[in-house]
Amino acid sequence: MRGSRQVVDYSLQKRAVLRELLAGRVGTYDVCDASPYLKNAARFHGEPTEERCPICRSENLTHVHYIYGDELKQSAGQARTRAELPALAMTLREFQVFVVEVCLGCDWNHLVEQYLLGRDGPADGAEDGSEQDTVGGSVVPGAGTDPAPRRRREAQR
């Protein structure tokens, strides 16, 4: 399994929300609004952390991993444990993981990070570097020994 790729960290956004809360521009009820579904996912599929809740400071946060992808079909949007992710990454081509932190005490919740997992690599599966570069459909000199031009797959967004 390849490691996670296209990682997006939301810690700066979290700090901004907490700064707004401490300044009084945002109320506690605006940031402590975890849905019952999120709280149940945290109870049954979440992973406890050693990090204290930034709002109530009485309970540790729980991380919930949600998965999304075309190959998942009806399973898209489900919460999974972190232990299940490597097995899914070996069987599926590509899927997104969203990590949400939840406090079961005060209902604080925030998106922590998102990343891609799966068998597909960033360069169309060519791990040995044998993929040749093409420009406008023609072979770039010195790019490879195969005379047939190949197109690169564009990064998905």
Side-chain angles (χ1 to χ4, degrees):
M1 177 184 89
R2 291 177 177 229
S4 57
R5 55 193 189 272
Q6 294 184 5
V7 178
V8 179
D9 183 29
Y10 292 94
S11 60
L12 291 175
Q13 188 180 33
K14 176 183 172 180
R15 286 174 44 193
V17 168
L18 292 173
R19 193 171 37 248
E20 293 289 313
L21 179 68
L22 291 174
R25 291 186 283 269
V26 175
T28 306
Y29 291 112
D30 294 327
V31 296
C32 295
D33 59 351
S35 73
Y37 296 113
L38 179 57
K39 290 175 69 174
N40 280 335
R43 279 189 197 97
F44 298 110
H45 302 286
E47 291 186 351
T49 66
E50 295 298 318
E51 186 180 352
R52 287 284 187 187
C53 174
I55 306 300
C56 69
R57 301 202 186 277
S58 64
E59 295 204 28
N60 289 350
L61 295 172
T62 303
H63 283 176
V64 182
H65 298 81
Y66 285 100
I67 56 171
Y68 292 90
D70 293 336
E71 289 180 272
L72 292 167
K73 296 184 172 78
Q74 292 89 358
S75 297
Q78 290 183 349
R80 298 292 177 110
T81 62
R82 189 175 189 156
E84 293 175 292
L85 296 179
L88 284 170
M90 295 301 288
T91 59
L92 298 173
R93 202 169 42 89
E94 184 175 88
F95 62 96
Q96 278 191 312
V97 179
F98 291 85
V99 183
V100 179
E101 66 181 18
V102 182
C103 176
L104 295 172
C106 70
D107 295 348
W108 158 263
N109 64 95
H110 198 275
L111 180 63
V112 176
E113 69 179 343
Q114 100 183 45
Y115 54 90
L116 286 177
L117 283 178
R119 289 179 289 139
D120 272 4
D124 204 23
E127 294 179 12
D128 60 354
S130 63
E131 182 176 332
Q132 58 181 305
D133 296 322
T134 61
V135 175
S138 62
V139 177
V140 175
T145 58
D146 187 27
R150 288 189 283 172
R151 296 186 138 184
R152 283 191 180 187
R153 188 176 74 190
E154 292 184 11
Q156 297 176 352
R157 294 185 183 151

